[in-house]
Amino acid sequence: MKLSDFYFDLPEELIAQKPSGIRGQDRLMLLNRETGLLQHLSMDDLPDLISPDTLMVFNNSKVRRSRCYGIKISEIEGQGGREQEFMFLNQMTPEGNLWHTMVKGAKKVKAGNKYRFTDGSIGRIIAHENDEGSEFRTIEFDSRLDDDWFGRNGHIPLPPYIRREDDDTDSERYQTVYAKETGSSACPTAGLHFTEEMFRRLDAKGIERVFVTLHVGLGTFLPVRTENIEEHKMHEEVYTIPFDVAEKINAAKKAGRPILAVGTTSVRTLESASDENGFVKGGSSATHIFMYPGYKFKCVNQMFTNFHTPESTLIMLVSAFAGREHILNAYQKAVEQKYHFFSYGDCMLIK
């Protein structure tokens, strides 16, 4: 399939730049993936759209304050230079002092360069074979980087289509209310619509929920650069399915109950861990799964998700689930109805 098969025209003003005034007060589109039938609803309607026997699966990964700024140090004069933005993705050693980062203007960031961060700590760029010719760099510190370090030096990693600096609001709103396991470089944003009150309403209907963990890497924002989408390579992401959660998922599959994945990250986790019959394996692993039309879903049969960017791997994933024509038609209607798009935007339930 061609990259252009997943293009749609989106007016700039429909890209949500801030969260809604109150968490959970968002519009909801219901899409029947068999017929393409659409309904325009709101998040308040969600409990009435889910059958009591459904098992909902959420990603409880927590966003790290992973956007950090360092000042280049001149080796000769010891003076500060230009400010450089780093997006910290994952630690590369158990000691936690060596990190894989995504760098803006990576061509100018050479092995041997040193950068001083806000708290005075210094990182040095070291050569790594996988970084050459890419937007990624490996940076080494003398000591471990922990959550306290990122608290002192980091900013909320808002995606590039949000054209402003992060503020205090984002510290709360660019994080799900159930976030627990720190490690994501971007929020699993479908979960942003859920509140404790919504969970109480789901509980009242007897709807069961479980949590898995997939740490979102910035590969989710990297553009597809190949016209034939089959040639695109996904970046690896680490996930965990607790063994007791795997048992609950497998029991639900065996009983023929619906599995509703909240967010594309939950979808990626479940499909990566599934065998051909849709039964999942518990434990931790890594995935670079790429789902586009033609992919046969094994575990997930319902999906709750946001509206995704044109020509992205995420619109390809939902197109694989609901059909490209159904998704592009739904997105066209969303534009006409002035839904808000992307991370802080409105949402869609696909059944």
Side-chain angles (χ1 to χ4, degrees):
M1 300 189 76
K2 302 296 184 184
L3 181 61
S4 54
D5 291 334
F6 300 91
Y7 177 81
F8 66 95
D9 188 32
L10 180 66
E12 185 80 16
E13 64 267 20
L14 296 184
I15 300 174
Q17 297 297 307
K18 293 185 176 182
S20 58
I22 301 174
R23 188 191 290 265
Q25 297 299 304
D26 306 293
R27 299 172 73 184
L28 168 65
M29 178 185 287
L30 176 63
L31 171 63
N32 184 312
R33 65 185 180 122
E34 299 298 331
T35 66
L37 182 66
L38 301 173
Q39 289 180 258
H40 302 291
L41 304 166
S42 73
M43 267 300 288
D44 276 346
D45 297 309
L46 184 66
D48 297 327
L49 304 175
I50 302 174
S51 62
D53 62 338
T54 301
L55 178 63
M56 299 183 72
V57 183
F58 294 81
N59 178 12
N60 67 1
S61 182
K62 188 174 184 178
V63 180
R64 177 183 287 124
R65 298 181 70 90
S66 55
R67 177 179 279 124
C68 304
Y69 296 89
I71 301 294
K72 185 179 177 183
I73 300 172
S74 168
E75 291 281 1
I76 299 175
E77 301 173 359
Q79 297 176 349
R82 63 188 292 270
E83 186 177 67
Q84 180 64 56
E85 178 182 323
F86 294 88
M87 194 70 78
F88 284 71
L89 301 180
N90 55 277
Q91 63 184 46
M92 301 176 69
T93 60
E95 293 75 22
N97 67 322
L98 193 67
W99 283 77
H100 192 216
T101 69
M102 185 175 178
V103 182
K104 184 177 289 187
K107 288 183 179 179
K108 297 179 181 179
V109 179
K110 308 290 187 182
N113 285 7
K114 292 183 178 180
Y115 296 87
R116 179 179 286 108
F117 290 83
T118 304
D119 68 348
S121 56
I122 295 174
R124 180 173 64 92
I125 305 299
I126 64 172
H128 193 284
E129 58 183 354
N130 294 337
D131 296 343
E132 191 170 344
S134 75
E135 49 270 277
F136 300 101
R137 292 293 182 269
T138 301
I139 186 166
E140 183 179 41
F141 292 80
D142 289 336
S143 58
R144 182 183 187 86
L145 306 192
D146 55 17
D147 286 345
D148 288 339
W149 188 92
F150 285 102
R152 295 192 302 271
N153 294 276
H155 294 258
I156 298 297
L158 296 178
Y161 47 72
I162 294 181
R163 304 188 187 283
R164 61 175 177 82
E165 295 298 316
D166 64 302
D167 57 32
D168 290 342
T169 301
D170 299 305
S171 296
E172 176 198 359
R173 296 297 298 276
Y174 195 67
Q175 198 82 265
T176 65
V177 298
Y178 50 83
K180 182 179 179 182
E181 306 292 340
T182 301
S184 277
S185 300
C187 184
T189 54
L192 294 179
H193 303 280
F194 288 83
T195 63
E196 294 297 343
E197 173 60 25
M198 176 58 69
F199 282 147
R200 284 191 285 271
R201 292 182 61 196
L202 294 170
D203 289 343
K205 286 198 66 176
I207 297 169
E208 186 180 11
R209 64 180 174 273
V210 294
F211 297 91
V212 299
T213 305
L214 181 140
H215 292 312
V216 186
L218 286 190
T220 190
F221 294 121
L222 289 180
V224 178
R225 297 191 173 101
T226 59
E227 180 55 26
N228 294 316
I229 66 170
E230 293 89 348
E231 298 173 6
H232 178 71
K233 303 297 182 185
M234 295 287 289
H235 282 80
E236 191 171 82
E237 294 170 312
V238 176
Y239 69 85
T240 300
I241 301 178
F243 291 103
D244 62 325
V245 169
E247 289 177 3
K248 291 179 180 179
I249 294 168
N250 292 337
K253 287 298 291 185
K254 190 172 182 179
R257 295 165 55 195
I259 305 294
L260 197 173
V262 175
T264 56
T265 57
S266 297
V267 175
R268 286 170 55 76
T269 301
L270 295 175
E271 292 297 312
S272 297
S274 291
D275 64 19
E276 289 305 311
N277 296 312
F279 295 108
V280 302
K281 181 180 180 180
S284 297
S285 189
T287 181
H288 54 264
I289 191 171
F290 181 21
M291 288 172 272
Y292 52 86
Y295 177 84
K296 302 299 183 185
F297 287 80
K298 304 181 291 291
C299 182
V300 176
N301 41 39
Q302 296 182 15
M303 188 189 306
F304 180 94
T305 185
N306 280 16
F307 292 89
H308 304 294
T309 52
E311 299 184 331
S312 64
T313 58
L314 299 182
I315 195 172
M316 294 171 193
L317 186 156
V318 295
S319 294
F321 190 69
R324 187 180 71 91
E325 293 78 10
H326 289 338
I327 288 294
L328 291 180
N329 177 63
Y331 277 42
Q332 180 183 346
K333 297 300 183 186
V335 169
E336 292 172 1
Q337 295 290 323
K338 299 191 182 305
Y339 279 68
H340 289 132
F341 279 69
F342 310 159
S343 294
Y344 276 147
D346 295 309
C347 52
M348 172 187 284
L349 175 63
I350 307 173
K351 295 177 67 178

